[in-house]
Amino acid sequence: DGGITQSPKYLFRKEGQNVTLSCEQNLNHDAMYWYRQDPGQGLRLIYYSQIVNDFQKGDIAEGYSVSREKKESFPLTVTSAQKNPTAFYLCASSLPRAHNQPQHFGDGTRLSIL
Amino acid sequence: AQKITQTQPGMFVQEKEAVTLDCTYDTSDPSYGLFWYKQPSSGEMIFLIYQGSYDQQNATEGRYSLNFQKARKSANLVISASQLGDSAMYFCAMREGSGGYQKVTFGIGTKLQVIP
């Protein structure tokens, strides 16, 4: 079955440490996204990518970095510059440039500070 | 102004009853799409239903229907015959823009609890 796989499910970060969240999809989607979800808030866009080797900042990109070297993969690095990284992170993919295409989501990664 | 507004932080509904979750949106783009997602406590986001801005009829998917009132910019989700498994967070979202990137904006969600 096609889908999006996020790993790990739970992740703990020490002070000053960079951590990388994995996102892999086999849906053959060009567009991929990273969202952050905090309690009582909706999803906020961190980064998105419409094509391999290209990505753009979303609304809350500070303290995060991404790469898109393969169509299937869109890893997110939470850097030490992100002072409040505790949140639920969701990766999504979709077909681009079509209003009727829903986003498909992974199961998420819960990141906490040690 | 908020792009997507969900004004009901929490809702209760009796099992087997219908419930309406409210969503209003704001856009100046004539072409857009509206989506509802369900998020159980496990965290995954599940796509439920889609409504396009040019669609003449309200969308339906099984027990889910979308009450689309374009002039009022509202896209309420109606769940008929509620089941215990419907207890979850529900998010309204809008995809807008033309050409390259199409921005997707989410509301803050409504927590639905189905009472046996």
Side-chain angles (χ1 to χ4, degrees), chain A residues 37 95 97-99 101 103, chain B residues 31 37 39 95 97 99 102:
Chain A
Q37 186 178 23
L95 293 172
R97 291 182 285 280
H99 286 129
Q101 295 301 317
Q103 292 174 307
Chain B
S31 180
Y37 292 88
Q39 187 180 43
R95 188 167 182 172
Q102 294 178 339

Side-chain angles (χ1 to χ4, degrees), chain A residues 29-71:
Chain A
H29 287 165
D30 287 307
M32 295 188 75
Y33 314 79
W34 273 106
Y35 290 94
R36 170 178 171 141
Q37 186 178 23
D38 293 282
Q41 297 194 38
L43 278 63
R44 292 185 290 167
L45 182 66
I46 305 172
Y47 268 99
Y48 65 94
S49 169
Q50 295 195 93
I51 197 168
V52 174
N53 292 323
D54 183 63
F55 48 83
Q56 304 295 328
K57 292 182 179 180
D59 300 319
I60 55 165
E62 187 173 347
Y64 300 97
S65 66
V66 293
S67 63
R68 187 85 186 276
E69 297 176 2
K70 299 187 298 181
K71 187 176 185 177

Side-chain angles (χ1 to χ4, degrees), chain A residues 13-19 63 77-85:
Chain A
R13 196 193 86 170
K14 295 179 182 178
E15 290 286 341
Q17 187 182 40
N18 292 354
V19 292
T77 296
V78 184
T79 74
S80 57
Q82 173 49 246
K83 298 306 179 187
N84 183 24

Side-chain angles (χ1 to χ4, degrees), chain B residues 23-48:
Chain B
C23 173
T24 58
Y25 60 92
D26 182 29
T27 182
S28 57
D29 198 326
S31 180
Y32 52 89
L34 296 158
F35 302 84
W36 276 92
Y37 292 88
K38 173 184 178 181
Q39 187 180 43
S41 57
S42 50
E44 75 271 27
M45 294 282 282
I46 302 165
F47 165 66
L48 296 178

Side-chain angles (χ1 to χ4, degrees), chain A residues 10-28:
Chain A
Y10 300 95
L11 187 57
F12 298 92
R13 196 193 86 170
K14 295 179 182 178
E15 290 286 341
Q17 187 182 40
N18 292 354
V19 292
T20 297
L21 284 61
S22 170
C23 177
E24 303 277 332
Q25 56 102 356
N26 60 3
L27 298 167
N28 201 32

Side-chain angles (χ1 to χ4, degrees), chain B residues 79-99:
Chain B
I79 305 174
S80 63
S82 297
Q83 302 171 357
L84 295 178
D86 293 334
S87 294
M89 285 290 292
Y90 288 82
F91 292 93
C92 180
M94 176 173 63
R95 188 167 182 172
E96 60 180 330
S98 57

